[in-house]
Amino acid sequence: MDETLINAAVPLILEWYRVCKRDLPWRKERTFYTVLVSELMLQQTRVEAVRERYVLFLQRFPTPAALAAASEEEVLKMWEGLGYYSRARNLHKAAKVLAAQGCPSDFKGVRALPGVGDYTAGAICSIALGLPEPAVDGNVLRILSRLYADGGNIDEPATRARFSALLRAAYPPETGDFCEALMELGAIICVPNGAPMCGACPWAGLCRAHLAGEEERYPVRSEKKARRVVEATVLVLRCGDRYALEKRPAKGLLAGLWQFPFFEGEAPEVGKPVAEKRARHIFTHVEWRMHGMLVHVNAEDPRYVWATADEIKRIYAVPSAFKAFMEWIK
Ligand code: ADE
């Protein structure tokens, strides 16, 4: 690939980042631990969703030792609503490693932490350790394939490897700023759906896609598989001031989290609903179409855990897939 293009692009994006970067809580004080927390939280999750949660999480677990000492239930509760809960379990395990062994200081050590893949390891090395390790995710692939008007399929590992090598050779001494500048450009200027804001882009004068007026032809991607649709019934059972909860299976979607009794297809008859509501929730590979029913019952079925509204709020991590039914919990 043409290295002169990326070499010209690096100082432009660094200068732009210094002036235009968003004021985000994880860009203030930085330690290995805070970078680990922010990068795990930001995997597959929008910055706006993470902002406040990051601050609350670090207030409760300010050090690896504090996180390592917490129960898994509490860590999941602090992760509630963020989705992809295996990240919370991995972060909990990673904190135990840091508390016992200290922080790793090279790519191999970082990559070996639970929940840390190539992208996150690159980001942590660049931001926390000052190492020139590229962090290449979908945003970075998009901005580079536009910069180069590169028709390589970004869902193929070979394309990722090519761009990763390109970045590695072009890394400036400001490794953390460079890494975050690439993410930032993809997040606020060179956006994925709809027209990118080329008028505000530091690369507008170099970007081959823009110069050809073909920004939206890039990146090239594989066709997505359609999501599997699951019809389900959710029973919000109320007995006095308590509600039935069950723990999801230890493996699979939303593993080990709490939910209202959930049935694929129809639920058994338990009584006449006093309210009904439909809701859907979209996961990466599945879509749930739920029929929710609020039913008053006069005995606590021992198959379930029975909790008050306050206990549900304080203790049990209920994923946001069930948010529509939480309004019945009073
Ligand atoms: N996405 C992943 N890491 C990020 C970071 N450090 N800042 C903004 N968005 C991100």
Side-chain angles (χ1 to χ4, degrees):
M1 299 192 76
D2 174 6
E3 283 151 34
T4 56
L5 181 54
I6 190 73
N7 289 334
V10 168
L12 294 173
I13 195 175
L14 282 175
E15 179 55 26
W16 168 81
Y17 181 71
R18 274 178 209 118
V19 178
C20 297
K21 69 175 169 195
R22 288 171 293 178
D23 183 18
L24 300 174
W26 51 91
R27 292 182 177 164
K28 297 202 170 81
E29 43 102 30
R30 294 219 144 143
T31 64
F32 187 94
Y33 174 65
T34 65
V35 173
L36 177 71
V37 171
S38 62
E39 293 310 315
L40 276 161
M41 248 183 211
L42 285 159
Q43 287 172 357
Q44 337 264 347
T45 308
R46 287 171 310 105
V47 160
E48 287 315 314
V50 170
R51 245 185 161 126
E52 201 184 332
R53 307 301 303 277
Y54 167 82
V55 174
L56 292 172
F57 193 91
L58 282 180
Q59 274 170 9
R60 173 60 193 89
F61 308 121
T63 60
L67 180 53
S71 69
E72 182 171 287
E73 283 296 327
E74 195 190 352
V75 177
L76 290 171
K77 185 66 189 170
M78 289 301 290
W79 205 267
E80 189 181 55
L82 285 168
Y84 301 97
Y85 291 83
S86 60
R87 295 180 297 165
R89 292 198 176 87
N90 282 328
L91 181 54
H92 192 205
K93 285 188 203 136
K96 292 179 185 175
V97 175
L98 301 192
Q101 304 170 20
C103 302
S105 57
D106 62 9
F107 183 87
K108 202 161 158 263
V110 174
R111 178 69 176 76
L113 291 170
V116 175
D118 287 337
Y119 165 72
T120 301
I124 294 172
C125 286
S126 297
I127 300 168
L129 300 178
L131 299 172
E133 296 287 352
V136 181
D137 70 347
N139 289 310
V140 173
L141 288 167
R142 181 173 62 259
I143 70 174
L144 294 176
S145 54
R146 286 177 175 162
L147 178 65
Y148 277 83
D150 186 291
N153 180 340
I154 64 163
D155 294 312
E156 283 170 10
T159 307
R160 180 176 296 253
R162 217 156 32 81
F163 283 123
S164 183
L166 180 80
L167 285 180
R168 184 181 300 278
Y171 244 81
E174 306 91 326
T175 58
D177 279 0
F178 182 53
C179 173
E180 288 199 274
L182 296 167
M183 298 171 178
E184 195 79 346
L185 196 70
I188 65 180
I189 303 285
C190 197
V191 293
N193 303 309
M197 266 80 90
C198 302
C201 181
W203 288 352
L206 322 175
C207 176
R208 290 179 182 165
H210 179 60
L211 294 173
E214 297 190 325
E215 301 86 344
E216 303 203 40
R217 268 184 60 184
Y218 304 96
V220 173
R221 303 208 65 164
S222 306
E223 239 175 85
K224 287 206 195 96
K225 272 200 262 164
R227 287 191 185 86
R228 188 164 60 88
V229 172
V230 172
E231 303 276 350
T233 309
V234 175
L235 296 182
V236 176
L237 303 178
R238 176 172 183 156
C239 180
D241 65 350
R242 292 176 190 275
Y243 298 85
L245 291 177
E246 64 182 4
K247 208 174 172 58
R248 289 185 58 81
K251 287 249 151 45
L253 195 60
L254 303 175
L257 297 169
W258 293 90
Q259 66 185 3
F260 306 112
F262 181 95
F263 303 85
E264 285 206 12
E266 309 268 307
E269 268 293 325
V270 280
K272 201 168 157 48
V274 296
E276 292 187 64
K277 177 174 199 185
R278 293 187 182 270
R280 62 170 66 193
H281 192 79
I282 296 186
F283 298 94
T284 311
H285 303 295
V286 189
E287 175 180 338
W288 280 355
R289 293 194 186 147
M290 293 171 284
H291 178 194
M293 298 186 217
L294 174 62
V295 181
H296 290 170
V297 294
N298 42 34
E300 292 186 356
D301 184 328
R303 274 175 297 183
Y304 303 125
V305 166
W306 293 82
T308 63
D310 181 60
E311 286 165 343
I312 294 173
K313 220 170 279 151
R314 282 187 298 108
I315 301 166
Y316 297 92
V318 179
S320 39
F322 302 104
K323 195 169 168 184
F325 310 122
M326 290 303 284
E327 70 180 40
W328 289 334
I329 308 301
K330 299 212 174 88

